[in-house]
Amino acid sequence: MTVLRQIYRERWGYYFITPTYLLTVLFAVAPVVMGVYFSLYRTVRGQSRYVGFDNYLRLFREEAFQRAIENTLYFVLLIVPLALAISLFLAVLVSPLGTKAQTFFRIAFYLPVVASPVVLSLVWLWIYNPVYGLLNYLLKLVGLPPRTWLSDLGTALPGLAVIVITWSIGQPLILFLAAIGAVPRDYYEAAIIDGGNAWQRFWHITLPLIQPTTLFVLITNTIGVFQIWVVIHLMTQGGPFYATQSLVYLLYQKAFVAGRFGEASALGVLLFVIIMAIAYIQFRFFSRSVEY
Amino acid sequence: MARIALDRSVASPGGILRRLTWSRALLAVRYLLLLALALGFLIPLYWMFTGAFKTQGSSFAVPPEWFPKRPTLANFELLFTRHPTVRWFANSMVVAAGTVFLTLLFSSLAGYSFAKKRFPGQQALFWILLATMMMPRQVTLVPLFILMRQLELFNTYLALILPLVSWPFGVFLLRQFIQSLPTELFDAARIDGAGEVGLWWHIVMPLSRPALGSLAIFTFVASWNDFFWQVVVTRTDTMRTLPVGLTRVAEQEFGVNLGIVMAGAVLTSLPLFAMFFAFQNYFIKGITMGAVKG
């Protein structure tokens, strides 16, 4: 009874979260449940049939799926560490500069994030064009042979990764600058008096103190890169020969090109499990690391 | 050791001078390196802007024209006359405005409730929201698409707006911000006879303006760039948003007239750039606020 009375007394607390909760349940929680359900069914000639785990088994046997896993891992392992290293390097270079210079570089590196991925993908499509693209022209200037970037098995995947890196730097840079700015100055002064060089100061002071930010960047970028889709959709459509097929692009093809909603749902569930595992790791680290 | 080195440099003026020129040279190297990298990052954007003003011939020119030799506005004219670009632009604006409005409204209510009220089950309800926030939208893409068809919302503004509003990032941002408001303020207003809705409207809303500003900008950008979902859930030219329309233009014109595609790209990114330059500080604040304790 006391709980009921308490609920009644605090009823406005519930009223205020109701709109948010209605939307969350309808458009975020229900689709997860539906996704699991759909992944166990297959529609054949308009008839929905229970097929157990057959959708999953079909996926595992498919070459496109295996390549999608490989490529997605490749993207993650290439883009995430590179984006982290570049943005951290830039932050260290920018952080001692004056306010105006800091603002300038923050803007310069954040602008590609502001332009939408759709826009940048189209511009890069032009830059990579083997006949009239800027890249081959620049290579010719330094005496290198032209390449057919996006239709070449060897360069298509790294070619897309480069583009994604250009818009994965801006946000971490801003976060790192804020984190480095929060490190007390006297730590560095003490280290200088003790004879610590620039590298030692970075390794023993900056890096440990900005660790929560590093972790945040690492994990949000990982989850972001797992969902790579726009560049593939607009530039290579997963080709040549599955060379740029990714998990999310495969999901898109299954659902909206081939109309196989069961298999697409199974892929969605797998993606959910993978990403929740990453989120779980994120959680454990966050509860352990220092408040900031 | 270090102390001795320090003393020696103080003792001889030559040492200080050498140190100064050395550190100045390092600073110059630092600037050069940063400028070169920034240039590399900005070249695609430069290419887009200049490309939009190039004639059909010069967009395919080899060697490429670093600056359009005969700058023209014809691309923009063709973009608007050959394609329903105005409609696409209006669609994107309507969808973004609707998303921003509903997100601010619902997030401020829920954020206030989670920050300043105590009710049974609050913790659990909050964790559920946290879990849904971490969930990537691509995972629920297929069921959401089927759901929209069943609700007969497919190819409507609501289908474009509601899934984004249900993303609870704003609730967290505002809860974080409202927690920092002094509780005495609410107690005083309550004593003065303010109702629950009055507290929200007269205290929470005006005082959270900085957080609401950041959230509005982020939501606008998120909605404008919600390309994947917009591709999936729109079917007709009258419902397409500008980025989706732009890809239609690209499909038809890419090998024919690059200038039109680049003009469309400029138009698509212009509202985002304008917003960024007008509200830079909100952007920076929003990014750091969103990251702090997720």
Side-chain angles (χ1 to χ4, degrees), chain B residues 252-263:
Chain B
Q252 292 163 31
E253 316 263 10
F254 205 90
V256 190
N257 192 344
L258 271 166
I260 299 182
V261 181
M262 291 304 126

Side-chain angles (χ1 to χ4, degrees), chain A residues 57-73 232 237-251 253-254 258 260 263 267:
Chain A
L57 294 176
R58 273 195 183 195
L59 276 178
F60 287 128
R61 279 197 298 263
E62 213 176 320
E63 195 200 342
F65 178 74
Q66 289 157 10
R67 297 303 307 275
I69 293 249
E70 286 167 22
N71 292 336
T72 306
L73 282 179
I232 299 169
Q237 289 84 43
F241 304 108
Y242 304 132
T244 57
Q245 182 68 271
S246 78
L247 283 173
V248 173
Y249 191 70
L250 186 63
L251 187 151
Q253 282 185 321
K254 288 267 179 222
R260 295 167 180 250
E263 278 175 55
L267 197 47

Side-chain angles (χ1 to χ4, degrees), chain A residues 10 12-14 16 21 31 93 96 101 107 110 114 116 118-119 123 126 132 137 193 227 256 272 275 283 291-292, chain B residues 2 30-31 44 48 59 63-64 112-113 118 120 125 127 130 135-136 138 143 196 225 227 232 272 280 287 291 293:
Chain A
E10 297 295 340
W12 283 95
Y14 297 102
F16 284 167
Y21 253 87
L93 283 185
I107 292 175
Y110 196 73
V114 178
S116 64
V118 175
V119 163
V123 179
W126 182 10
Y132 48 83
Y137 169 73
I193 290 172
Q227 300 170 57
F256 303 107
F272 177 76
I275 289 175
F283 232 68
E291 297 273 299
Y292 67 110
Chain B
R30 188 188 290 257
Y31 267 109
M48 167 183 81
S59 59
Y112 165 50
S113 177
R118 294 290 160 265
L125 288 167
W127 286 116
L130 192 74
M135 206 164 52
Q138 275 76 344
E196 290 294 335
N225 283 343
F227 177 66
V232 166
L272 301 174
Q280 243 181 74
I287 291 167
K293 283 194 270 175

